[in-house]
Amino acid sequence: MVNTALQCTVGVVPVRVAAGTSEEKILADTFKAITRSNTSFLDHSASARRVLWWHHFLFRQPATVVLRAAERKPTQQFADLDSSARALTYDYGARVLIDASNNSLPDAATATKREDVLEVEPMQRELLEALPKLQTLHVALKSANLADVVWMCVGGNPADYESLATKWTRQPSDLEHVVALFVQNLIGRANDNVSSAVASNERLQGLYDMFRESSEVPSATLKEMKLVRPSPDKVLRAVKLRALAGSRGGGRRMLIPADAATALVLRTGISDTPSLEELKALAAAEKERNWQ
């Protein structure tokens, strides 16, 4: 996500884009943001073009428009983000950043050969535990023998750790209870997502079962099984493997669980929310397996 510091930078214009928004509406909202106008019934395109021209003239670089895509629900269409970005770039001279999740931007939008795609993956554990802002939480989790449980359920998402830290500040004397509710909520949500997907297409269960033995499955498996992923897909996401030196497998599209909690649900097949003690046992087993 685009942080507050970037949004407050001179020459950066953030614009929130709801799912299904047309190019016309996105451009109109962007022009209003550029000109800082609250009047909806006027055409601000000419004024926005002048503002963008003067910004480039004075600062010798284009202004940056950040299109922040809202999460898309199952019944909603994709917003016209890619076509809006092209219009703002080529017709108005702006630099455009699209801040969107996999479920808010169609694959075709990142395959135009004009874009530079930055996929933000979860942090490695060592890096996440070194973040100064989360040091107090990590120390407390390790002291309470909860660090492995939280990592297993949350993974390398610092936003989730920050959310857990916030909840802990409200109940500082009962870290174990806070952690239990937090991770159980994540697992429950993951279970709901899997159940909803299978309810819509029971043949997806065969695909999900493959994650009992593997952390990733080739995207080509969908074609082999004659399956289409639900859209938006809350259970799996597609990633592109990076090529390793001397290997031939780089660049392959793979399917992986959407997050750590979903990976746990698919790997273990748990359908009921486990207790904290059961999660501790699972975390210990995972740690031992990784060491072997």
Side-chain angles (χ1 to χ4, degrees):
M1 298 298 291
V2 179
N3 60 33
T4 305
L6 178 58
Q7 292 187 43
C8 296
T9 302
V10 174
V12 175
V13 182
V15 180
R16 187 179 184 279
V17 181
T21 306
S22 66
E23 176 183 339
E24 181 181 9
K25 179 69 164 57
I26 294 174
L27 293 179
D29 289 345
T30 301
F31 297 151
K32 284 171 57 181
I34 290 172
T35 59
R36 297 187 178 183
S37 173
N38 293 321
T39 307
S40 300
F41 59 87
L42 295 178
D43 180 1
H44 299 284
S45 58
S47 297
R49 190 186 298 275
R50 286 193 294 271
V51 171
L52 291 170
W53 187 92
W54 276 106
H55 182 280
H56 195 285
F57 177 79
L58 294 172
F59 296 100
R60 295 295 185 265
Q61 62 180 358
T64 300
V65 174
V66 181
L67 300 178
R68 300 180 57 191
E71 191 67 17
R72 187 173 62 93
K73 295 180 176 60
T75 58
Q76 294 177 315
Q77 299 297 317
F78 290 105
D80 290 334
L81 290 162
D82 47 348
S83 59
S84 300
R86 284 193 291 272
L88 289 168
T89 301
Y90 296 111
D91 298 339
Y92 292 87
R95 178 192 293 120
V96 180
L97 300 180
I98 298 178
D99 180 14
S101 69
N102 294 333
N103 287 322
S104 298
L105 192 66
D107 291 341
T110 58
T112 64
K113 299 184 179 181
R114 301 186 187 97
E115 75 291 330
D116 186 5
V117 180
L118 175 62
E119 295 186 6
V120 181
E121 295 296 327
M123 286 186 176
Q124 296 182 353
R125 185 169 182 175
E126 296 77 11
L127 179 60
L128 189 144
E129 291 183 344
L131 294 176
K133 186 176 181 180
L134 297 172
Q135 284 304 297
T136 302
L137 174 65
H138 287 307
V139 169
L141 290 174
K142 289 177 181 178
S143 298
N145 193 29
L146 295 170
D148 291 337
V149 170
V150 174
W151 173 258
M152 178 179 67
C153 299
V154 175
N157 188 341
D160 279 336
Y161 274 88
E162 289 181 9
S163 178
L164 175 58
T166 299
K167 294 179 185 302
W168 179 42
T169 58
R170 298 169 186 162
Q171 294 179 267
S173 62
D174 200 351
L175 176 61
E176 188 165 291
H177 178 67
V178 171
V179 167
L181 290 179
F182 188 81
V183 297
Q184 287 169 348
N185 179 61
L186 293 178
I187 293 171
R189 189 185 310 161
N191 260 319
D192 289 344
N193 290 335
V194 172
S195 297
S196 296
V198 173
S200 65
N201 185 352
E202 61 182 15
R203 294 178 57 244
L204 284 169
Q205 187 64 61
L207 175 65
Y208 296 158
D209 287 343
M210 294 181 180
F211 290 90
R212 295 284 189 97
E213 304 296 333
S214 178
S215 60
E216 57 191 32
V217 172
S219 292
T221 304
L222 293 170
K223 183 177 180 180
E224 296 169 4
M225 298 180 68
K226 297 181 180 179
L227 280 174
V228 176
R229 291 166 58 205
S231 180
D233 191 348
K234 299 293 186 178
V235 178
L236 302 176
R237 61 190 181 96
V239 297
K240 189 174 183 179
L241 290 185
R242 295 179 180 177
L244 300 176
S247 71
R248 296 182 179 180
R252 288 190 304 156
R253 297 289 290 180
M254 304 294 288
L255 299 175
I256 63 173
D259 50 41
T262 303
L264 177 64
V265 168
L266 295 179
R267 186 168 61 251
T268 62
I270 56 176
S271 56
D272 296 325
T273 303
S275 67
L276 186 57
E277 292 306 315
E278 290 172 328
L279 288 172
K280 285 182 179 181
L282 278 173
E286 292 265 320
K287 195 170 186 179
E288 183 177 352
R289 185 182 66 177
N290 292 335
W291 282 350
Q292 292 177 350

